[in-house]
Amino acid sequence: MPPEPPVSQLERVALVLDALQLEGFLTLTEVSVATGIPCSSAQRLLERMVKLRWLLRVGDRYELGARLFELGSEAIRNHWFYRIVYPHLVELQERTQLIVHLAYLDGGDVVYWEKLSGSMGVRVPTRIGGRQPAYRTALGKALLAAESDRCLEHPAFNSMKRSTPATIIDRDELTREVDRVNNDGVAFDHGEALVDIGCIAANVHAGHASTSDGYTTTAAISICGPLGQIRREMINSVRAAANQITRAAAVNPMIDT
């Protein structure tokens, strides 16, 4: 059943972008079906978005345009918090030789903000802008531990599915794991997202602020690699990097002082 027609033009734009992000490219008719926007209205909207370079039309199909790629890249690289974090990520990668991630929480998922490849040749199928269910990852556990208990009430945690035999799929077990992270200050993934791949993560804070998403934690960082290469002393490296980032980002420039 198609969605109810959106009320505002801005809502229509958001639905079009969401549909194209999911499908890659769509015809006018497919956009109309996916969004609930009547074809005549959708055609006018799509052509306006093409003129703004938000979309690219190829034949009779539409895809995301160059302007969105430009904005997305700038949003990642020029964000004030990212500029503070990046040197610490590089230092952590050099110290551990493992893959380093920076991610934030969005509903029941973690979204990868940055990924630095390790020096040991291991490949992990994560990408900047990609998502993973929070319950499967050390990053997700670290972020959930830093937020209020209501985050664990998200519908995503009502039907958790295994990615590997080690994946946590029980709500009570996840709650206990998040409590343990709160006590220890670090989170672990023991092959729960990918077989034989482990991670250590810790959350990092920016200056306290009232945010539109209601979250208090800015992000989390992690190291990731084969379980056999995750050594206990690396825990201190992750903790130290997280503490350094939190101290460096203690003042949020978006807040009047």
Side-chain angles (χ1 to χ4, degrees):
M1 185 174 66
E4 292 186 8
V7 175
S8 72
Q9 193 78 336
L10 188 57
E11 289 174 322
R12 291 182 170 192
V13 168
L15 282 176
V16 169
L17 295 178
D18 286 346
L20 290 173
Q21 180 186 21
L22 179 64
E23 300 295 340
F25 55 84
L26 294 169
T27 64
L28 169 61
T29 301
E30 290 168 339
V31 167
S32 179
V33 170
T35 63
I37 304 171
C39 270
S40 58
S41 299
Q43 184 173 26
R44 291 192 296 271
L45 178 61
L46 291 171
E47 287 304 313
R48 180 59 179 160
M49 294 173 73
V50 167
K51 288 181 180 179
L52 292 170
R53 297 171 56 241
W54 292 5
L55 302 182
L56 177 68
R57 178 166 43 78
V58 182
D60 64 349
R61 289 176 168 81
Y62 298 85
E63 64 180 1
L64 298 178
R67 182 57 180 151
L68 291 180
F69 297 136
E70 293 168 4
L71 290 171
S73 179
E74 292 299 314
I76 291 173
R77 306 300 174 188
N78 288 337
H79 192 283
W80 69 271
F81 182 73
Y82 176 88
R83 293 200 300 269
I84 290 173
V85 172
Y86 186 75
H88 297 282
L89 299 182
V90 172
E91 183 179 349
L92 183 60
Q93 191 278 328
E94 292 174 347
R95 187 182 305 136
T96 64
Q97 302 297 297
L98 296 178
I99 294 168
V100 172
H101 289 120
L102 171 70
Y104 59 88
L105 187 66
D106 183 28
D109 294 337
V110 294
V111 181
Y112 293 97
W113 194 344
E114 180 59 282
K115 176 183 180 180
L116 302 182
S117 296
S119 302
M120 297 183 181
V122 64
R123 297 177 66 86
V124 173
T126 53
R127 60 177 177 82
I128 296 172
R131 291 173 173 265
Q132 274 274 16
Y135 63 86
R136 295 180 184 172
T137 68
L139 288 162
K141 295 174 192 175
L143 289 163
L144 289 170
E147 300 297 341
S148 68
D149 292 342
R150 73 175 184 275
C151 282
L152 286 169
E153 298 172 4
H154 192 277
F157 305 122
N158 292 335
S159 58
M160 297 182 285
K161 298 179 181 178
R162 291 194 190 279
S163 176
T164 76
T167 306
I168 293 175
I169 59 171
D170 179 78
R171 182 83 161 267
D172 291 338
E173 185 179 355
L174 178 63
T175 300
R176 289 192 295 270
E177 181 73 358
V178 168
D179 288 342
R180 186 199 60 73
V181 175
N182 262 323
N183 291 329
D184 296 347
V186 289
F188 299 94
D189 166 7
H190 300 287
E192 295 157 51
L194 296 165
V195 174
D196 294 331
I197 297 295
C199 297
I200 305 171
N203 62 67
V204 292
H205 296 264
H208 291 292
S210 175
T211 62
S212 58
D213 65 8
Y215 295 144
T216 59
T217 299
T218 301
I221 61 171
S222 73
I223 58 172
C224 184
L227 281 170
Q229 295 177 8
I230 304 291
R231 301 187 301 276
R232 189 160 189 82
E233 60 266 25
M234 292 178 176
I235 298 173
N236 289 333
S237 295
V238 174
R239 279 200 184 108
N243 289 336
Q244 290 166 2
I245 291 167
T246 296
R247 286 195 297 269
V251 177
N252 189 328
M254 296 178 69
I255 304 302
D256 294 330
T257 56

